[in-house]
Amino acid sequence: MARTTDRSTTHLPRRLVQLYVGLALYGASSALLVRAGLGLEPWGVLHQGLAERTGISIGVVSIIVGAVVLLLWIPLRQRPGLGTVSNVFVVGLAMDGTLAVVGDLDALGVRIPVMVLGIVLNGVATGLYIAARFGPGPRDGLMTGLNQITGRSIRLVRTAIEVAVVVTGFLLGGSLGAGTVLYALAIGPLAQLFLRLFAIPETSAPGVVVASGEPSTPAPAAGSGPVAAPTSGQAILPQ
């Protein structure tokens, strides 16, 4: 039986605002980590390394890498949403825009607070754009797709991807440091906090029954085998 709700239009203006503010803030926060010069988030290390090697701006590199990863969704049979496609372009543009405004920082007493600010803002951005429910980022879809076809746990797949990304980025000249470690430790709790803060309730129209002809199945235990890929209205934590 078909599922009928008003989910697609529920709180739509707020969801759109959250999506694009979140993505822009994500790019800005990544740029602050670049200016702090104390280590980037895993994918940022790769982007910076590629930028160093090619002479292309780090924001444009982010767009190119995101587009390439999105192409990998095709054989993995993942379904992009508005947030997925927007993620590819908005984050990179916001990153280059912020770098154009915020100049190089020299004093360690300035760089450390900027690093902390970048990590916190990244958590805020994550909560904003994921809570908007317009689809996962390109790198999230790569993770869930590999989880499905390999049967390996999300934890293992994500760890393998990020280790490969960090090592490759570092070998290309990307920045590893205290910021990388602090980001890895802090982004999970920060994202969880701001996801709750910016959560948008999902409501059905009065009198509409949400039903399905498929039997419900229990959720898999954490760290278990393949999981269902998020639909276009869902998302999971970013890279």
Side-chain angles (χ1 to χ4, degrees), residues 43 68-80 137-151 157 161 226-230:
W43 284 91
V68 171
V69 171
L70 191 55
L71 288 176
L72 295 177
W73 281 36
I74 298 173
L76 295 177
R77 298 182 179 180
Q78 300 296 290
R79 293 182 297 170
R139 298 155 186 83
D140 295 328
L142 175 64
M143 177 179 64
T144 55
L146 289 174
N147 160 260
Q148 289 180 335
I149 66 172
T150 65
V157 171
I161 290 174
V227 298

Side-chain angles (χ1 to χ4, degrees), residues 8-182:
S8 61
T9 57
T10 299
H11 305 292
L12 184 58
R14 176 182 167 182
R15 291 172 60 205
L16 287 168
V17 169
Q18 281 198 197
L19 171 65
Y20 289 107
V21 170
L23 291 177
L25 192 57
Y26 197 98
S29 65
S30 297
L32 291 179
L33 291 177
V34 171
R35 288 300 187 223
L38 296 172
L40 305 179
E41 74 277 15
W43 284 91
V45 177
L46 176 61
H47 298 157
Q48 188 180 52
L50 289 170
E52 291 286 338
R53 294 287 180 170
T54 63
I56 302 173
S57 73
I58 190 171
V60 173
V61 168
S62 173
I63 292 172
I64 294 172
V65 171
V68 171
V69 171
L70 191 55
L71 288 176
L72 295 177
W73 281 36
I74 298 173
L76 295 177
R77 298 182 179 180
Q78 300 296 290
R79 293 182 297 170
L82 174 64
T84 310
V85 179
S86 298
N87 184 299
V88 172
F89 297 99
V90 176
V91 171
L93 293 173
M95 193 172 185
D96 274 352
T98 304
L99 289 171
V101 174
V102 180
D104 293 332
L105 305 175
D106 296 321
L108 188 62
V110 175
R111 292 162 59 200
I112 291 176
V114 169
M115 174 192 71
V116 173
L117 177 61
I119 293 172
V120 173
L121 288 181
N122 197 280
V124 174
T126 298
L128 280 168
Y129 92 80
I130 290 183
R133 303 193 311 273
F134 278 108
R139 298 155 186 83
D140 295 328
L142 175 64
M143 177 179 64
T144 55
L146 289 174
N147 160 260
Q148 289 180 335
I149 66 172
T150 65
R152 303 296 183 181
S153 68
I154 283 286
R155 183 186 306 133
L156 178 61
V157 171
R158 177 164 184 156
T159 300
I161 290 174
E162 295 200 349
V163 168
V165 163
V166 167
V167 170
T168 303
F170 178 71
L171 293 176
L172 290 172
S175 174
L176 281 176
T180 310
V181 176
L182 184 58

Side-chain angles (χ1 to χ4, degrees), residues 163-226:
V163 168
V165 163
V166 167
V167 170
T168 303
F170 178 71
L171 293 176
L172 290 172
S175 174
L176 281 176
T180 310
V181 176
L182 184 58
Y183 181 92
L185 294 174
I187 192 59
L190 285 171
Q192 183 175 9
L193 170 64
F194 290 110
L195 273 167
R196 291 176 178 173
L197 182 62
F198 299 121
I200 301 174
E202 298 183 57
T203 57
S204 298
V208 174
V209 176
V210 179
S212 151
E214 299 177 0
S216 60
T217 55
S224 62

